[in-house]
Amino acid sequence: MRTDFNCRVSRRSLLLAGAGLAATAGLGSRPAFAANIREYKIAAAPARVGLLGENHPETDVWAYNGSVPGPTLRLRQGEPARIVVDNRLAQDTTVHCHGIRLPIGMDGVPGISQAPIKPGERFTYGFTPPDAGTFWYHPHANSLEQFGRGLAGVLIVDEREPVAIDRDLVWMLADWRLGSDGVIAAGFGNHMEAVMAGRTGSTVTLNGAVPIDQPVRAGERIRLRLVNGALARLMALRFEGHRPVIVAVDGQPCEPFEPDNGRLLLGPAMRIDVIIDMQGEPGRRYAVVDDFYDGLSYTLTNLIYDQGVPVRPHALDGPLSLPRNPLPEPDLTTAERHDIVLQGGMMGAGMMSGLGGMNGMMTPGMDGGAAWAINDISMTGDGQAGMPPLLTFQRGRSVVLSIRNQTAWWHPMHFHGHSLRVLNRNGAPVPHHQWQDTVLLAPKDTVDCAFVADNPGDWMLHCHVMDHQVAGLMTILRVA
Ligand code: C2O
Ligand code: CU
Ligand code: CU
C-alpha cells in the first residue's frame, strides 16, 4: 500500500510552517487548501494542584498550563497542527507526542531528533497526524522526574467523520508517590526500583484527582478512552455489571472484541478505547476495579447511574467499529526478521541477572548505572547524540521483530514513529488485527510484531517503565 505515506506527510508538514499548503496526496478527498492549522500553546512550569481532593493539602507539581494532566489537545486526522511549547522549568525539556506517526524532527527526543528546549526557550512542533485515535504527550528529557512530577496530557486525533456515540470520555490515569502532606516523594532514579518494577506510587488519580463517582445515564453509549499515564504501575480494569468492547488499542482501531474475563490490561503508556453500552439500572452504582496486582485490588471509581429514564429503550444494535487508519500492511513473505532480546534486572532472591557480554555503549545517567540491556547493549538516560542504531532498515522494508523478554519483570515496549502489527504472543496468533505502539510483555513472553519501515529517522524503542528506560532498556532503530 502506501509505503511512502509518512514521508509525504513529513515533507509536507515541514514545508507547511503556516503557509496553508495542505497537499492532498494520499489523504483522500480533502479540499486542496485546508484552511486552519490547529495551534495549541503549552507551557511547562511548576504549579500547585489539588490531587487529593478538597480538604487535603495541595501538591507541588510540574505541569502544562498549570494543570494535571495538561490540556487535552484535540487535532483532526489529516489536518496540520502546531504545538508551541514554552519551557518555564529550570531544566531542559522536550515534548514527545506518543504514538503519532510524525516526522523525526518533531519526535521530541533530545539529542536524537532535536536539541533540547532550554529554560526560557520555545519550540514549535508542527505535523499532520495521519491516524485518528487516542494518543498522549509527555517530556522526553529527564523523563523519569519530569513525567513523574506531572508533565503529561492526552492528545486526541478526531476521525474525519464523527463516530456515532452519545459521549466521548477520557480517563487519564496516573500514579503518584505522595505523602499524606501531599508532597511528591523524592528519590527518582532509585537503583533498587530500577532493577525491579520501577517507581510505583501510592495514589492513583483519574484526570488529575483522586477519583470520585462517574455519572452515567442508562441506555447511553459511551466511548471511553483509557490512558495509562503511570510511570510504572500496570492496571487491569474490570467494569462490574458491564461489558466493555475494545474498539482501538494504542489509538489504532481493531476488530471490536470483548477482552478475556472483561479485564482491560493497561501497561504504562498504553491506551484502550472501549465502547460501553450503559445497561445498568437507574440509580445504581457499579464499581470499576483494578485488580492487576495479586492481593492489591482496589476500586478505582464507581459508575453512578442517574435516576432518570433511560436515554433509549433498548441497547443499540451491534458493536461499533471505528474506521481504519492508513497504516501500511507489512508483507510477511518478504519481511526481514530480527530478535530483540530484553535482558537484565533482578532475577529474584537478590540476584542480578548477568549482563555478561555487554559491549560498551554504557552512558550511565544515574547512580548505579545500567541495569538492563537490549541485545547485550545498555543505552541509558533519555537519548543522547551519537547513540548508534541497533538495526538499520531500508525505507519501505517490511520488518518482523521478535521481542523476547528474558527478564523476570513486565515491560511495556514502546516504538516511536510507527505502529506495530502484533502477530503472535508465545507462538499463538494474536486475534482482532491489533496494532500497538506499546507492546506489553509479561516475564518470559515472546511477542512477534511487524511494521513497514516507512518513516525515515532514528527511532527509539524502549520500555515505558521509565526507571527501566533510563537504566538501559532502550535502543534505536534506524530507517534509512
Ligand atoms: Cu511515551 Cu519514548 O515515549
Ligand atoms: Cu513515543
Ligand atoms: Cu521495563
Side-chain angles (χ1 to χ4, degrees):
M1 238 176 76
R2 302 174 183 131
T3 48
D4 63 342
F5 180 77
N6 270 316
C7 323
R8 257 189 233 141
V9 169
S10 73
R11 249 178 280 126
R12 190 171 68 240
S13 39
L14 288 173
L15 285 172
L16 263 173
L21 283 175
T24 57
L27 289 175
S29 56
R30 302 300 306 166
F33 296 96
N36 316 313
I37 297 183
R38 289 237 173 170
E39 183 172 293
Y40 283 95
K41 286 202 167 66
I42 54 174
R48 256 179 100 70
V49 298
L51 298 174
L52 293 171
E54 272 171 43
N55 308 318
H56 290 277
E58 294 196 312
T59 300
D60 285 309
V61 295
W62 297 348
Y64 293 117
N65 293 3
S67 73
V68 165
T72 296
L73 310 182
R74 272 200 113 104
L75 310 182
R76 286 184 63 91
Q77 184 176 21
E79 294 185 12
R82 269 203 302 247
I83 303 170
V84 182
V85 178
D86 279 305
N87 182 5
R88 299 197 194 121
L89 303 170
Q91 56 184 259
D92 293 358
T93 194
T94 62
V95 171
H96 170 64
C97 293
H98 180 122
I100 307 262
R101 297 187 296 138
L102 40 61
I104 185 68
M106 299 294 133
D107 195 43
V109 178
I112 292 180
S113 56
Q114 71 171 107
I117 313 170
K118 300 236 169 300
E121 287 186 352
R122 164 179 288 191
F123 186 87
T124 300
Y125 294 88
F127 55 89
T128 299
D131 304 323
T134 305
F135 303 96
W136 64 300
Y137 62 98
H138 60 77
H140 225 291
N142 188 19
S143 313
L144 177 55
E145 183 171 14
Q146 290 191 14
F147 172 31
R149 291 193 181 277
L151 288 166
V154 177
L155 196 170
I156 291 172
V157 181
D158 282 311
E159 290 81 12
R160 292 196 179 84
E161 305 296 336
V163 171
I165 44 156
D166 297 312
R167 281 201 296 155
D168 186 330
L169 297 181
V170 181
W171 288 5
M172 171 62 157
L173 304 169
D175 178 36
W176 307 78
R177 188 173 293 178
L178 288 182
S180 55
D181 53 1
V183 174
I184 297 174
F188 288 95
N190 172 295
H191 187 68
M192 277 316 287
E193 286 173 351
V195 299
M196 300 199 284
R199 182 179 161 111
T200 45
S202 51
T203 307
V204 173
T205 56
L206 188 162
N207 297 340
V210 167
I212 49 171
D213 289 349
Q214 306 293 311
V216 300
R217 294 188 62 189
E220 65 177 345
R221 174 170 276 191
I222 288 180
R223 174 184 190 168
L224 176 59
R225 303 169 189 262
L226 298 164
V227 183
N228 183 343
L231 281 182
R233 178 184 288 274
L234 291 108
M235 301 176 185
L237 303 186
R238 277 189 300 107
F239 286 73
E240 190 191 277
H242 292 76
R243 299 175 64 178
V245 175
I246 298 177
V247 292
V249 181
D250 287 352
Q252 302 294 350
C254 57
E255 290 156 10
F257 68 102
E258 287 187 33
D260 291 343
N261 306 316
R263 234 167 153 242
L264 301 163
L265 185 57
L266 282 160
M270 291 174 63
R271 290 89 64 213
I272 294 180
D273 285 34
V274 290
I275 298 287
I276 310 181
D277 286 315
M278 292 298 166
Q279 295 300 307
E281 286 168 39
R284 253 196 77 177
R285 166 196 301 252
Y286 299 85
V288 180
V289 173
D290 173 7
D291 65 2
F292 179 81
Y293 298 99
D294 281 342
L296 294 174
S297 97
Y298 65 99
T299 297
L300 172 72
T301 184
N302 294 285
L303 302 179
I304 172 130
Y305 274 74
D306 188 281
Q307 300 279 0
V309 288
V311 295
R312 55 175 59 84
H314 304 288
L316 287 169
D317 275 343
L320 184 143
S321 64
L322 298 172
R324 281 280 165 76
N325 283 321
L327 284 163
E329 200 59 58
D331 178 350
L332 300 180
T333 59
T334 61
E336 55 184 279
R337 289 164 192 269
H338 299 276
D339 285 344
I340 301 285
V341 184
L342 314 182
Q343 302 152 311
M346 195 71 88
M347 297 308 281
M351 292 233 327
M352 279 295 290
S353 82
L355 284 183
M358 219 152 51
N359 52 12
M361 208 50 227
M362 300 260 295
T363 46
M366 55 179 297
D367 54 332
W372 306 89
I374 294 180
N375 293 10
D376 296 329
I377 300 170
S378 296
M379 288 185 191
T380 59
D382 289 284
Q384 284 117 36
M387 283 186 177
L390 178 68
L391 298 167
T392 299
F393 308 117
Q394 288 314 305
R395 193 161 134 193
R397 283 297 303 220
S398 290
V399 178
V400 174
L401 300 178
S402 200
I403 309 178
R404 290 171 31 209
N405 181 5
Q406 291 187 340
T407 81
W409 303 90
W410 291 76
H411 304 291
M413 295 302 296
H414 169 52
F415 187 34
H416 286 210
H418 299 78
S419 192
L420 301 168
R421 170 86 197 277
V422 187
L423 304 172
N424 308 299
R425 183 175 293 271
N426 302 323
V430 172
H432 317 302
H433 208 95
Q434 297 185 54
W435 293 82
Q436 301 182 5
D437 57 57
T438 308
V439 178
L440 184 61
L441 288 98
K444 309 301 176 192
D445 265 6
T446 295
V447 178
D448 302 324
C449 355
F451 67 104
V452 177
D454 61 349
N455 197 0
D458 279 5
W459 301 102
M460 286 184 66
L461 169 68
H462 65 86
C463 180
H464 223 289
V465 170
M466 297 317 292
D467 302 84
H468 294 179
Q469 180 213 288
V470 301
L473 209 46
M474 166 167 71
T475 192
I476 291 172
L477 305 184
R478 175 174 292 169
V479 178

